[in-house]
């Protein structure tokens, strides 16, 4: 049943004045003028049809009616405060569900999540590995780290994280010995590996686009081995089964480990990129805002990691000579 209650400001003024027995001190606590407190109390008395305070000399006394209702009103404000605290606590302590493509999750995001957990220890993170954007209204995801064209509906907010390029990758053993892979024209003698997940993007057709961009002739881009999952394509490349075109950022762990090398550093920038996506109205949620601030900071510091990885492997190689 709905109850018609006096204005909240009037109740707050009465509660403070009744507790402190002073309009002046109540005004200081509420950060308003003494006249404002007096006006709100008068408004409440008029609505209730009874006096709540009386003057006795310079002192302020609470009437029997005021004394009777003050404890209940104080309990009401305590309940309101605890209700707000529960809402804030649930927003921070409830799990933050992050949707991310399986490959970026394993190759980039997972190793960094511990930093966020140290910043927000009361918020548990649940990582959901999936391709494509989740249905935020019906799925459980709070945010998504999404790869694809930067085209979103009005209700979605997106923050670009970083641009990416595709680059050829292969096992180091393909670059050694007789018949080694040394220059782009040599690709005609090697099996091409195709990342189906990448080639689903109509803006990025993979080998055909890369060969055309760098004017490499005599290589049949239609031949080779195809994989629906990027991780499987990377594993095949590391195993020496052929040469793969892959997103530079996803190859960093294997390059650092020496499982993959870049036979020729010819990178083709993609029109698509990675972005952090969520519903615009959820930006005010504390755990969403905290994760967004953290991830944008991490992405801003992670500039051209493949070049860093390549330089690191070259340095190790020079030390071993």
């Amino acid at each position: 049943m709905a109850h018609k209650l006096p204005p909240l400001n009037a109740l707050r003024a009465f509660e403070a004045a009744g507790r402190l027995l002073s309009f002046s001190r109540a005004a200081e606590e509420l950060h308003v003028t003494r006249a404002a407190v007096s006006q709100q109390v008068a408004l409440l008395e008029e609505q209730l049809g009874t006096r709540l305070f009386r003057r006795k000399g310079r002192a302020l006394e609470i009437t029997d009616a005021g004394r009777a209702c003050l404890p209940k009103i104080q309990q009401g404000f305590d309940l309101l405060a605890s209700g707000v605290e529960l809402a804030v606590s649930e927003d921070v302590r409830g799990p933050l569900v992050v949707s991310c493509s399986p490959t970026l999750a394993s190759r980039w995001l997972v190793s960094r999540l511990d930093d966020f957990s140290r910043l927000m220890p009361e918020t548990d993170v649940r990582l959901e590995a999936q391709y494509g954007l989740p249905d935020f209204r019906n799925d459980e995801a709070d945010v998504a780290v999404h790869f694809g064209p930067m085209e979103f509906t009005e209700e979605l907010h997106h923050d670009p994280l970083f641009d990416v390029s595709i680059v050829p990758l292969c096992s180091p053993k393909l670059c050694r010995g007789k018949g080694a892979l040394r220059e782009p024209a040599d690709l005609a003698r090697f099996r091409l590996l195709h990342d189906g997940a990448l080639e689903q993007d109509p803006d990025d057709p993979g080998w055909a686009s890369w060969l055309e961009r760098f004017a490499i002739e005599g290589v049949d881009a239609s031949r080779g081995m195809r994989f629906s999952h990027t991780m499987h394509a990377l594993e095949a490349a590391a195993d020496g089964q052929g040469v793969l075109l892959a997103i530079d950022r996803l190859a960093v762990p294997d390059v650092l480990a020496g499982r993959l090398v870049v036979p020729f550093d010819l990178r083709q920038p993609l029109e698509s990129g990675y972005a952090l996506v969520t519903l615009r109205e959820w930006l005010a949620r504390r755990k969403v805002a905290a994760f967004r601030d953290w991830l944008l900071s991490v992405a801003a510091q992670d500039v051209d990691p493949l070049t860093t990885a390549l330089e690191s492997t070259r340095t190790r190689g020079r030390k071993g000579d």
Side-chain angles (χ1 to χ4, degrees):
M1 178 184 298
H3 299 279
K4 186 176 180 180
L5 294 173
L8 188 61
N9 284 341
L11 291 172
R12 288 181 66 213
F14 164 68
E15 188 279 331
R19 173 166 41 84
L20 300 170
L21 290 179
S22 168
F23 284 179
S24 297
R25 291 170 61 193
E28 291 177 7
E29 180 178 290
L30 299 175
H31 302 290
V32 296
T33 64
R34 183 187 182 285
V37 171
S38 178
Q39 183 180 18
Q40 289 295 330
V41 170
L43 176 65
L44 182 61
E45 289 177 331
E46 180 180 351
Q47 186 164 347
L48 296 179
T50 186
R51 294 290 302 275
L52 299 172
F53 295 102
R54 70 170 68 92
R55 284 288 178 184
K56 189 173 183 180
R58 299 185 62 182
L60 182 68
E61 282 190 348
I62 191 168
T63 66
D64 291 341
R67 190 177 296 107
C69 67
L70 180 60
K72 295 295 185 182
I73 291 174
Q74 289 173 329
Q75 289 176 20
F77 277 112
D78 289 342
L79 286 172
L80 283 172
S82 63
V84 170
E85 179 61 30
L86 283 175
V88 171
S89 175
E90 180 62 24
D91 183 40
V92 173
R93 295 176 186 166
L96 175 77
V97 182
V98 181
S99 171
C100 184
S101 69
T103 310
L104 187 70
S106 62
R107 296 299 173 111
W108 187 79
L109 182 58
V110 168
S111 63
R112 292 164 170 78
L113 283 177
D114 191 50
D115 292 336
F116 176 72
S117 294
R118 283 197 290 268
L119 288 174
M120 297 283 288
E122 65 273 39
T123 300
D124 293 328
V125 176
R126 198 171 86 213
L127 184 61
E128 298 282 349
Q130 67 177 86
Y131 290 108
L133 276 175
D135 181 352
F136 289 104
R137 296 292 183 191
N138 297 305
D139 296 342
E140 294 184 323
D142 296 297
V143 296
V145 183
H146 173 72
F147 172 75
M150 298 298 174
E151 298 175 0
F152 302 98
T153 62
E154 281 296 320
E155 71 172 355
L156 294 179
H157 175 87
H158 76 280
D159 293 292
L161 295 176
F162 31 66
D163 298 326
V164 294
S165 300
I166 51 175
V167 64
L169 299 156
C170 66
S171 167
K173 62 187 178 185
L174 297 189
C175 299
R176 296 194 294 259
K178 187 177 180 179
L181 177 63
R182 301 189 188 281
E183 57 186 47
D186 294 336
L187 288 169
R189 297 185 286 104
F190 289 83
R191 178 189 293 129
L192 301 185
L193 304 180
H194 300 262
D195 181 356
L198 177 64
E199 294 181 355
Q200 287 177 4
D201 188 338
D203 294 327
D204 308 310
W207 276 111
S209 173
W210 185 88
L211 292 167
E212 180 180 0
R213 178 183 180 88
F214 295 105
I216 300 167
E217 299 179 349
V219 180
D220 187 352
S222 67
R223 300 293 306 276
M225 192 178 295
R226 286 173 165 76
F227 300 87
S228 61
H229 197 300
T230 304
M231 290 291 291
H232 298 156
L234 288 166
E235 285 300 316
D239 192 47
Q241 297 185 39
V243 186
L244 173 69
L245 268 186
I247 292 175
D248 49 6
R249 193 170 297 268
L250 301 180
V252 170
D254 283 318
V255 170
L256 285 171
R259 300 178 71 236
L260 288 173
V261 295
V262 178
F264 15 84
D265 196 359
L266 300 177
R267 304 189 209 184
Q268 177 182 359
L270 299 184
E271 294 183 23
S272 301
Y274 285 98
L276 178 67
V277 186
T278 189
L279 286 176
R280 197 172 297 277
E281 66 201 63
W282 290 358
L283 291 172
R285 294 184 176 183
R286 289 180 64 191
K287 61 187 177 185
V288 170
F291 185 81
R292 175 175 176 252
D293 290 344
W294 169 79
L295 193 65
L296 290 177
S297 175
V298 170
Q301 297 171 30
D302 196 24
V303 179
D304 198 5
L306 182 60
T307 296
T308 302
L310 291 172
E311 182 57 34
S312 174
T313 56
R314 293 188 191 105
T315 301
R316 290 202 305 268
R318 288 194 293 268
K319 288 181 179 178
D321 290 342

